[in-house]
Amino acid sequence: MDLSIDNTVDGPKILIFHTHANEMYADSNGALEDGIWGVGEELKKYLEDFMGVEVIHDTGQYDRVNGKGQVIGAYERMEVSIQKILDENPSIQMVIDLHRDGVPENTHLVTEIDGKVTIGEHGNNKEVIVTKDDKTVERYIIPYGMR
Protein backbone atom coordinates (compact mmCIF):
# COMPACT_ATOMS: atom_id res chain seq x y z
CA MET A 1 0.00 0.00 0.00
CA ASP A 2 1.31 3.41 -0.99
CA LEU A 3 1.07 5.84 1.97
CA SER A 4 2.77 8.72 0.19
CA ILE A 5 1.19 12.18 0.27
CA ASP A 6 1.10 14.55 -2.71
CA ASN A 7 2.29 17.74 -1.01
CA THR A 8 1.96 19.79 -4.21
CA VAL A 9 -1.82 20.02 -3.72
CA ASP A 10 -3.04 23.10 -1.82
CA GLY A 11 -4.88 22.57 1.45
CA PRO A 12 -4.75 20.00 4.26
CA LYS A 13 -3.56 16.52 3.27
CA ILE A 14 -4.32 14.52 6.44
CA LEU A 15 -7.32 14.45 8.75
CA ILE A 16 -6.82 13.15 12.27
CA PHE A 17 -9.88 12.48 14.41
CA HIS A 18 -10.91 10.30 17.31
CA THR A 19 -14.14 8.34 17.39
CA HIS A 20 -13.25 7.85 21.07
CA ALA A 21 -11.48 11.13 21.95
CA ASN A 22 -11.71 10.45 25.69
CA GLU A 23 -9.67 7.24 25.68
CA MET A 24 -7.06 7.55 28.40
CA TYR A 25 -3.93 5.70 29.45
CA ALA A 26 -3.32 4.01 32.79
CA ASP A 27 -1.18 6.94 33.94
CA SER A 28 -3.39 9.70 32.45
CA ASN A 29 -4.61 12.52 34.68
CA GLY A 30 -8.05 12.53 33.02
CA ALA A 31 -7.51 15.70 30.97
CA LEU A 32 -8.33 15.39 27.28
CA GLU A 33 -4.78 16.48 26.42
CA ASP A 34 -3.36 13.61 28.51
CA GLY A 35 -5.17 10.88 26.55
CA ILE A 36 -5.42 9.83 22.93
CA TRP A 37 -6.64 13.30 21.88
CA GLY A 38 -3.34 14.72 23.13
CA VAL A 39 -1.48 12.11 21.09
CA GLY A 40 -3.41 13.36 18.06
CA GLU A 41 -2.20 16.91 18.77
CA GLU A 42 1.39 15.67 19.00
CA LEU A 43 1.01 13.69 15.77
CA LYS A 44 -0.37 16.80 14.05
CA LYS A 45 2.61 18.87 15.26
CA TYR A 46 5.05 16.20 14.09
CA LEU A 47 3.48 15.88 10.64
CA GLU A 48 3.35 19.64 10.15
CA ASP A 49 6.64 20.69 11.75
CA PHE A 50 8.90 17.82 10.70
CA MET A 51 7.20 16.36 7.63
CA GLY A 52 5.81 19.59 6.17
CA VAL A 53 2.31 18.16 5.69
CA GLU A 54 -0.77 20.28 6.44
CA VAL A 55 -3.10 18.50 8.89
CA ILE A 56 -6.57 19.01 10.33
CA HIS A 57 -7.06 17.62 13.85
CA ASP A 58 -10.80 17.38 14.45
CA THR A 59 -11.73 18.31 18.02
CA GLY A 60 -15.07 16.48 18.06
CA GLN A 61 -15.79 14.30 21.09
CA TYR A 62 -18.09 11.69 19.58
CA ASP A 63 -17.87 9.46 22.66
CA ARG A 64 -19.69 12.06 24.82
CA VAL A 65 -23.39 12.95 24.83
CA ASN A 66 -24.70 15.82 26.95
CA GLY A 67 -21.35 15.99 28.74
CA LYS A 68 -21.31 12.30 29.70
CA GLY A 69 -19.27 9.43 28.31
CA GLN A 70 -21.22 7.41 25.72
CA VAL A 71 -19.15 5.09 23.56
CA ILE A 72 -22.17 3.37 22.00
CA GLY A 73 -23.16 5.28 18.88
CA ALA A 74 -19.85 7.17 18.60
CA TYR A 75 -19.16 5.89 15.07
CA GLU A 76 -22.58 7.06 13.92
CA ARG A 77 -22.15 10.45 15.62
CA MET A 78 -18.76 11.12 14.01
CA GLU A 79 -19.88 10.25 10.50
CA VAL A 80 -21.69 13.53 9.64
CA SER A 81 -18.89 15.76 11.01
CA ILE A 82 -16.09 13.83 9.34
CA GLN A 83 -17.94 13.73 6.02
CA LYS A 84 -18.42 17.51 6.22
CA ILE A 85 -14.68 18.02 6.79
CA LEU A 86 -13.88 15.76 3.82
CA ASP A 87 -16.42 17.54 1.59
CA GLU A 88 -14.96 20.95 2.53
CA ASN A 89 -11.36 19.77 2.07
CA PRO A 90 -10.99 17.71 -1.12
CA SER A 91 -7.21 17.98 -0.70
CA ILE A 92 -7.32 15.43 2.17
CA GLN A 93 -5.57 12.24 1.06
CA MET A 94 -5.38 10.31 4.33
CA VAL A 95 -7.79 9.96 7.25
CA ILE A 96 -6.58 8.67 10.62
CA ASP A 97 -9.04 7.65 13.34
CA LEU A 98 -6.52 7.52 16.17
CA HIS A 99 -7.32 5.22 19.12
CA ARG A 100 -5.56 4.12 22.28
CA ASP A 101 -4.47 0.52 22.10
CA GLY A 102 -5.82 -1.72 24.85
CA VAL A 103 -3.79 -4.91 24.56
CA PRO A 104 -2.45 -6.62 27.69
CA GLU A 105 0.89 -5.28 28.93
CA ASN A 106 2.74 -8.51 28.10
CA THR A 107 1.54 -8.50 24.45
CA HIS A 108 4.21 -7.32 22.00
CA LEU A 109 3.07 -6.50 18.48
CA VAL A 110 6.09 -4.61 17.25
CA THR A 111 9.28 -5.24 15.32
CA GLU A 112 12.38 -3.04 15.36
CA ILE A 113 13.42 -1.35 12.13
CA ASP A 114 16.86 0.28 12.16
CA GLY A 115 16.49 0.82 15.90
CA LYS A 116 14.22 3.83 15.45
CA VAL A 117 10.72 2.89 14.34
CA THR A 118 8.89 -0.35 15.01
CA ILE A 119 5.82 -1.58 13.19
CA GLY A 120 3.42 -4.38 14.08
CA GLU A 121 0.15 -5.79 12.85
CA HIS A 122 -3.18 -4.90 14.50
CA GLY A 123 -5.69 -6.69 12.34
CA ASN A 124 -5.91 -4.46 9.27
CA ASN A 125 -3.92 -1.66 10.92
CA LYS A 126 -0.24 -0.86 11.36
CA GLU A 127 1.33 0.29 14.59
CA VAL A 128 4.21 2.77 14.41
CA ILE A 129 6.38 3.34 17.45
CA VAL A 130 9.05 6.03 17.38
CA THR A 131 11.88 5.38 19.81
CA LYS A 132 14.75 7.53 21.07
CA ASP A 133 17.54 6.20 23.23
CA ASP A 134 15.73 2.83 23.44
CA LYS A 135 12.60 4.45 24.93
CA THR A 136 9.22 4.81 23.28
CA VAL A 137 8.62 8.45 22.39
CA GLU A 138 5.48 8.21 20.22
CA ARG A 139 3.10 5.41 19.33
CA TYR A 140 0.53 5.53 16.52
CA ILE A 141 -1.95 3.10 15.04
CA ILE A 142 -2.37 3.77 11.32
CA PRO A 143 -5.47 2.19 9.77
CA TYR A 144 -5.35 0.73 6.30
CA GLY A 145 -7.50 2.67 3.92
CA MET A 146 -6.71 5.72 1.91
CA ARG A 147 -9.13 8.17 0.38
Side-chain angles (χ1 to χ4, degrees):
M1 168 180 281
D2 180 13
L3 294 177
S4 60
I5 297 291
D6 180 359
N7 223 8
T8 64
V9 178
D10 287 334
K13 316 300 182 291
I14 298 175
L15 168 62
I16 300 170
F17 75 100
H18 311 274
T19 302
H20 304 127
N22 290 280
E23 289 178 330
M24 296 291 160
Y25 297 94
D27 60 352
S28 295
N29 66 16
L32 195 61
E33 297 80 15
D34 200 39
I36 193 61
W37 189 89
V39 174
E41 276 295 293
E42 291 301 315
L43 177 58
K44 177 183 188 282
K45 288 178 196 173
Y46 175 81
L47 292 169
E48 290 183 335
D49 296 347
F50 296 103
M51 304 299 289
V53 178
E54 191 175 343
V55 177
I56 292 175
H57 185 205
D58 176 50
T59 59
Q61 293 185 48
Y62 308 107
D63 57 348
R64 296 193 72 75
V65 176
N66 298 322
K68 295 182 181 179
Q70 177 61 286
V71 175
I72 296 172
Y75 287 97
E76 292 78 9
R77 286 189 293 277
M78 69 79 174
E79 197 170 352
V80 173
S81 296
I82 299 307
Q83 189 59 59
K84 183 175 188 255
I85 293 169
L86 293 174
D87 291 345
E88 293 173 352
N89 298 279
S91 58
I92 293 176
Q93 301 166 39
M94 180 183 292
V95 177
I96 301 172
D97 183 7
L98 194 62
H99 289 263
R100 173 192 52 84
D101 192 8
V103 299
E105 198 169 316
N106 63 348
T107 301
H108 301 284
L109 303 168
V110 295
T111 306
E112 187 170 320
I113 298 176
D114 296 329
K116 295 181 183 176
V117 177
T118 57
I119 300 175
E121 299 288 336
H122 283 262
N124 289 333
N125 302 324
K126 291 286 184 188
E127 176 182 30
V128 176
I129 296 180
V130 180
T131 60
K132 182 177 179 181
D133 300 325
D134 296 323
K135 294 184 180 182
T136 298
V137 178
E138 301 287 341
R139 185 170 184 224
Y140 308 107
I141 302 297
I142 302 175
Y144 280 146
M146 298 284 290
R147 184 173 184 198

